[in-house]
Amino acid sequence: MGVSEKRIEYGSDKAAEKQKALRRSGNLNADFSEMAEKVYARLNDEISMKIFEARKMYMATGDLGYITGLEPKYRNLNSDMQFFAEKLQKGSHCLIYGAGRAGHYLAGRFKQFGVNVDCFIDPDESKGPVDKETGIRVITEKELKEDKAQYCGKTVIISYPVKPVADEVRKRLIEDIGTDAKDIRFGVFDLRNNQGQYFDYFEARENEVFVDCGCFDGATCFNFAGWCGHKGFDHIYSFEADPKNYAKSKEILAPLGKCELFPYGTADVSKKVYFASDAFETSCIISREEAEKRNFEGVEEIETVALDDVLEGKRVTFIKMDIEGAEYEALLGARKLITENRPRMAISVYHKFEDFVTLANLVLEMHPDYRISYRHYAFDDLETVMYVE
């Protein structure tokens, strides 16, 4: 049997089934160590090795300091993020504007690396005086203005993910309340470097064909087109399962041309699954148990597809996956596409502790000659991307 035949066989062979069982059991131990050694041997550079080691220690201990303590030269952070990190050292204090889902998310992240959230600021008085979910005090803009002395000099983090809305809040804080501009940060935008992510490692080639798993708002497709520049590109296949995000992306991507958008999630096979739909980038596939726990509120039933089925016979040069923990199954569903095309890939490997090893091991089973690199784009443990070439 030739090498190419062996590769195509992989998706349904014992190695694949072993990895799926390993993930289900949660017992990584010896098998995980063997995988980790195999992946480490295929790493491309020192940066990748440092990130790999940091994630391995974080997985073993749960200490986020292994990630946040990485030297700047090992993290793809922009200057704004560096400033953000300096302001939010362990033991520092901050205020979060917005006591909604994004605010709760940020409060949880900050708690993990020892930053104190003194209060939420929210224009909705009904959310105070104490946030029910976190137990953190909630104040209004009026209360902030009246008690400026108490909060002066502390970092105010605006949690709103829509940039024009966040900009308007920033303007009010400066002009109406007197907050110093240097003390205001944008939580979603300043916590990570989304500008270079996925496209600052590889150089574009002629006639690229891009597969975007996890389209969200369409920005990645436009970033891809910009990355291709004067070389242009042949086609984009984009997948977005969240109905609201799909509708927005369909309108936004229309002018781009040569771009097909599919309203599906990507997985190992075509099936129906439960999906937590929040019209944000954290929309994700969930179990029935999780859906029941949520009383099916905000839960959709969506269809997933295997890339091998939808893109059968298509040429593909570059695959990006950021699908909130469903990457492993999506890669299994793309095994033929990957073995036949050997595309370069940018895969998010931070949604599950073990992903930085198991996802790398999986693509190495498909193509043993792949090389692996890691880059890290966030202040905390989020946004670690694996580059495969």
Side-chain angles (χ1 to χ4, degrees):
M1 184 182 289
V3 173
S4 61
E5 290 172 297
K6 286 182 181 177
R7 288 174 182 162
I8 290 174
E9 180 192 48
Y10 168 70
S12 59
D13 70 11
K14 292 179 182 178
E17 292 306 314
K18 180 181 177 182
Q19 281 201 342
K20 289 174 80 172
L22 186 67
R23 286 179 66 118
R24 284 195 297 268
S25 73
N27 182 19
L28 300 174
N29 299 335
D31 284 322
F32 183 81
S33 296
E34 184 182 333
M35 284 189 219
E37 289 176 10
K38 175 182 174 183
V39 172
Y40 193 82
R42 299 299 300 172
L43 296 184
N44 239 355
D45 54 23
E46 183 193 9
I47 295 174
S48 301
M49 292 175 184
K50 288 290 184 181
I51 293 171
F52 184 95
E53 289 164 356
R55 293 213 72 97
K56 190 174 179 181
M57 290 304 297
Y58 174 45
M59 177 184 177
T61 66
D63 184 353
L64 194 58
Y66 285 104
I67 306 292
T68 58
L70 278 168
E71 293 179 56
K73 65 180 179 179
Y74 298 121
R75 297 191 286 173
N76 287 35
L77 307 185
N78 57 37
S79 58
D80 283 345
M81 290 176 69
Q82 293 290 69
F83 180 75
F84 188 99
E86 290 167 9
K87 294 280 286 184
L88 294 177
Q89 292 296 322
K90 188 173 183 178
S92 65
H93 292 256
C94 71
L95 319 178
I96 296 178
Y97 194 106
R101 179 174 294 178
H104 290 157
Y105 164 77
L106 289 173
R109 301 304 300 174
F110 293 154
K111 183 178 180 181
Q112 278 192 287
F113 46 82
V115 173
N116 302 293
V117 179
D118 287 357
C119 67
F120 287 113
I121 308 161
D122 202 289
D124 184 352
E125 293 185 11
S126 68
K127 291 188 176 180
V130 176
D131 178 66
K132 294 176 182 178
E133 184 170 319
T134 63
I136 296 172
R137 185 186 175 199
V138 183
I139 64 172
T140 62
E141 288 183 17
K142 181 182 177 183
E143 290 173 291
L144 177 64
K145 188 172 184 178
E146 290 172 349
D147 205 0
K148 271 201 304 184
Q150 180 180 346
Y151 302 111
C152 183
K154 292 177 181 176
T155 304
V156 180
I157 299 158
I158 301 170
S159 67
Y160 296 160
V162 179
K163 195 67 163 63
V165 178
D167 285 337
E168 181 58 36
V169 170
R170 182 179 186 274
K171 183 179 178 182
R172 278 204 315 274
L173 288 171
I174 294 170
E175 295 180 359
D176 299 345
I177 296 172
T179 306
D180 194 321
K182 69 178 176 58
D183 292 330
I184 302 173
R185 311 306 303 168
F186 292 114
V188 173
F189 305 101
D190 289 348
L191 192 63
R192 59 197 186 199
N193 174 15
N194 287 126
Q195 297 307 307
Q197 195 166 318
Y198 313 126
F199 302 109
D200 64 357
Y201 184 79
F202 299 128
E203 286 189 12
R205 297 170 180 166
E206 300 285 347
N207 308 314
E208 294 274 4
V209 178
F210 183 50
V211 177
D212 183 11
C213 300
C215 174
F216 178 41
D217 60 1
T220 304
C221 292
F222 279 98
N223 289 343
F224 164 76
W227 174 69
C228 290
H230 69 277
K231 294 180 180 178
F233 62 90
D234 276 3
H235 209 78
I236 297 172
Y237 302 101
S238 192
F239 295 80
E240 176 52 51
D242 187 297
K244 291 181 180 177
N245 288 340
Y246 171 80
K248 286 189 292 186
S249 295
K250 189 173 183 180
E251 181 179 352
I252 290 168
L253 292 174
L256 188 58
K258 296 188 291 185
C259 179
E260 290 181 64
L261 179 63
F262 299 90
Y264 308 119
T266 47
D268 51 344
V269 294
S270 297
K271 56 188 175 184
K272 287 191 175 182
V273 296
Y274 290 108
F275 189 80
S277 175
D278 60 9
F280 190 47
E281 58 186 33
T282 51
S283 297
C284 61
I285 294 171
I286 59 173
S287 65
R288 180 178 180 85
E289 291 75 20
E290 178 62 25
E292 289 173 345
K293 195 182 298 181
R294 298 176 184 223
N295 293 319
F296 294 93
E297 291 182 11
V299 175
E300 305 264 355
E301 194 175 83
I302 60 125
E303 290 184 42
T304 66
V305 293
L307 291 178
D308 281 345
D309 294 336
V310 179
L311 303 181
E312 185 177 7
K314 305 292 186 185
R315 185 176 71 90
V316 170
T317 66
F318 189 12
I319 296 174
K320 166 257 174 181
M321 289 185 182
D322 188 348
I323 45 179
E324 305 304 310
E327 289 83 5
Y328 187 89
E329 287 71 27
L331 284 168
L332 283 178
R335 56 186 176 268
K336 185 176 181 182
L337 195 71
I338 292 169
T339 53
E340 291 181 351
N341 287 272
R342 200 183 183 279
R344 295 183 292 177
M345 293 187 275
I347 312 291
S348 292
V349 293
Y350 60 90
H351 296 111
K352 296 177 180 176
F353 270 131
E354 73 274 14
D355 277 351
F356 73 104
V357 169
T358 55
L359 300 187
N361 187 69
L362 182 57
V363 298
L364 287 173
E365 292 285 356
M366 296 178 185
H367 274 293
D369 58 341
Y370 263 142
R371 297 293 299 182
I372 306 294
S373 299
Y374 298 102
R375 293 296 183 267
H376 188 71
Y377 298 88
F379 173 53
D380 58 3
D381 61 318
L382 305 181
E383 310 307 327
T384 300
V385 176
M386 174 179 73
Y387 293 98
V388 182
E389 62 180 331

